């Protein structure tokens, strides 16, 4: 990452997107106590291990593995949080060392209403809550979507991210990058840009402003999690991709990961169940796209 030669397009590549391993939610959901029921997460450990094993087997290797938030279930200050974080780190340590890990902060990682303290704590554990990086001529932005959801306890941090984002988009324009891709935990919207606001998307006026800014900047896609189901849609030329969870499913989707292929013209993606990805790997159609020389 971050090396100067990563500003150059070198042909198609792919990365893996996962979301919401959320250690502790399956038990909490099953017992109907999402505040304190997260005292077991053996099931999630197994799923996260399966995800890592599936990724390690892939050939060619993905350029990176991004986890789009809700790494664990325990909110800041809750009882099992540190154990959940430690167990997730132990699983992720086994990721092939040639596959960098990229972390995105979710509401369970920094709180529904984050504070400077909860964000600092996250950064100590997982790295910056927002940052950018280049891979082969493609510019990636990782955002802290909680600052768009509720920044009432740290308005200065939201303002700092906004200023930074504008600077980054100016950099992207200057470098004439191939594509710009965004990762954040909370989707802008689930299916339609003008849908009503609820827990799983951003408030309408905030959403409209971000969508328009992203559209103007030429951003091609936003990848997120949070919904524990697959969803998505379009705003003008901007694709909103919502990926279901590695961990607890709240809909009909299997536990899984998304394979995202970046070609010269477009961004193509497909959600695979963990079983499918571990047993069969990536389908031929996507592999053929990677093999095309520009």
């Amino acid at each position: 990452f971050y090396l100067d030669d990563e500003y150059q397009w070198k042909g198609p590549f792919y990365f893996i997107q996962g979301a919401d391993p959320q250690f502790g939610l399956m038990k909490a959901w099953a017992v109907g106590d999402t505040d304190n029921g997260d005292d077991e997460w053996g099931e999630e450990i197994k799923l996260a291990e399966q995800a890592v094993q599936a990724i390690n087997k892939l050939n060619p290797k993905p350029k990176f593995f991004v986890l789009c938030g809700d790494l664990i279930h325990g909110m800041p200050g809750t009882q099992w949080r540190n154990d959940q974080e430690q167990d997730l780190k132990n699983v992720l340590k086994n990721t092939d060392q040639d596959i960098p890990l990229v972390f995105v902060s979710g509401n369970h990682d920094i709180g529904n209403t984050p504070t400077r303290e909860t964000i600092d704590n996250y950064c100590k554990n997982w790295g910056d809550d927002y940052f950018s990086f280049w891979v082969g001529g493609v510019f990636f932005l990782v955002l802290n979507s909680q600052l768009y959801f509720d920044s009432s306890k740290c308005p200065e941090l939201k303002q700092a991210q906004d200023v930074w984002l504008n600077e980054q988009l100016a950099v992207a324009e200057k470098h004439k990058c191939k594509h710009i891709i965004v990762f954040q935990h909370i989707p802008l919207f689930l299916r339609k840009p003008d849908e009503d606001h609820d827990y799983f998307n951003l408030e309408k006026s905030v959403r409209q402003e971000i969508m328009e800014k992203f559209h103007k900047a030429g951003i091609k896609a936003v990848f997120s999690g949070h919904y524990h189901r697959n969803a998505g849609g379009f705003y003008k030329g901007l694709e909103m991709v919502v990926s279901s969870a590695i961990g607890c499913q709240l809909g009909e989707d299997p536990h899984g990961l998304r394979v995202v292929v970046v070609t010269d013209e477009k961004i193509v993606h497909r959600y695979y169940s963990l079983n499918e990805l571990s047993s069969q790997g990536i389908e031929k159609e996507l592999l053929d796209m990677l093999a095309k020389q520009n």
Side-chain angles (χ1 to χ4, degrees):
F1 282 14
Y2 311 116
L3 304 171
D4 288 345
D5 68 337
E6 291 298 342
Y7 291 131
Q8 307 306 317
W9 175 253
K10 307 192 198 63
F13 64 86
Y14 81 103
F15 63 85
I16 300 286
Q17 182 216 5
D20 303 88
Q22 203 157 341
F23 283 22
L25 176 58
M26 291 174 89
K27 164 87 190 298
W29 191 259
V31 299
D33 180 0
T34 51
D35 292 333
N36 309 299
D38 59 330
D39 58 344
E40 288 172 24
W41 49 91
E43 204 52 41
E44 285 95 340
I45 289 177
K46 283 198 207 102
L47 290 161
E49 284 173 344
Q50 192 184 357
V52 167
Q53 285 158 6
I55 291 168
N56 286 347
K57 281 197 334 207
L58 295 173
N59 184 20
K61 288 186 200 309
K63 288 285 185 188
F64 59 87
F65 171 27
V66 57
L67 272 170
C68 281
D70 282 0
L71 305 172
I72 47 143
H73 182 66
M75 286 278 188
T78 56
Q79 191 177 0
W80 307 107
R81 183 181 171 89
N82 293 348
D83 293 344
Q84 288 166 1
E85 288 190 323
Q86 197 47 59
D87 283 351
L88 178 59
K89 285 179 184 173
N90 290 340
V91 172
L92 293 174
K93 270 205 243 30
N94 297 317
T95 310
D96 185 312
Q97 59 188 29
D98 294 332
I99 304 171
L101 292 166
V102 176
F103 298 107
V104 182
S105 61
N107 55 308
H108 284 263
D109 306 309
I110 57 177
N112 286 323
T113 307
T115 64
R116 181 175 281 280
E117 189 189 6
T118 63
I119 291 175
D120 282 348
N121 192 346
Y122 169 85
C123 292
K124 282 193 193 89
N125 267 301
W126 303 103
D128 292 341
D129 60 323
Y130 58 89
F131 56 97
S132 65
F133 60 95
W134 289 82
V135 174
V138 177
F139 191 46
F140 292 92
L141 293 162
V142 170
L143 299 179
N144 178 345
S145 54
Q146 287 317 115
L147 296 175
Y148 296 129
F149 191 80
D150 182 358
S151 61
S152 55
K153 291 197 173 144
C154 54
E156 74 288 355
L157 297 184
K158 176 184 189 294
Q159 198 185 350
Q161 176 171 259
D162 288 345
V163 168
W164 172 87
L165 179 58
N166 290 335
E167 286 166 358
Q168 294 296 308
L169 294 175
V171 165
E173 192 175 25
K174 192 182 85 193
H175 276 286
K176 298 282 175 273
C177 54
K178 261 297 169 203
H179 306 289
I180 312 173
I181 295 174
V182 170
F183 299 120
Q184 60 186 53
H185 178 62
I186 299 182
L188 298 168
F189 58 89
L190 298 174
R191 291 195 171 81
K192 297 198 184 77
D194 60 351
E195 70 198 17
D196 289 342
H197 165 57
D198 68 19
Y199 174 78
F200 287 114
N201 60 19
L202 291 178
E203 196 272 314
K204 273 174 125 166
S205 59
V206 175
R207 178 198 314 169
Q208 188 55 44
E209 193 183 324
I210 299 171
M211 290 189 309
E212 203 37 46
K213 177 190 289 229
F214 284 4
H215 167 67
K216 284 206 178 94
I219 291 171
K220 293 276 175 64
V222 177
F223 289 89
S224 64
H226 189 52
Y227 191 44
H228 297 254
R229 286 159 281 224
N230 287 309
F234 283 87
Y235 173 77
K236 301 179 181 175
L238 171 73
E239 185 176 10
M240 180 68 238
V241 185
V242 184
S243 292
S244 197
I246 292 171
C248 189
Q249 299 302 314
L250 299 182
E252 302 301 308
D253 294 295
H255 305 279
L257 294 165
R258 193 172 292 277
V259 172
V260 186
V261 176
V262 183
T263 74
D264 197 8
E265 296 89 43
K266 56 190 179 182
I267 294 150
V268 183
H269 51 86
R270 184 173 157 213
Y271 185 84
Y272 288 84
S273 74
L274 295 179
N275 292 339
E276 200 182 357
L277 198 59
S278 9
S279 60
Q280 291 153 29
I282 300 172
E283 71 203 277
K284 185 172 182 316
E285 189 189 351
L286 294 184
L287 289 172
D288 287 348
M289 284 183 166
L290 290 171
K292 283 210 173 73
Q293 287 311 313
N294 292 345

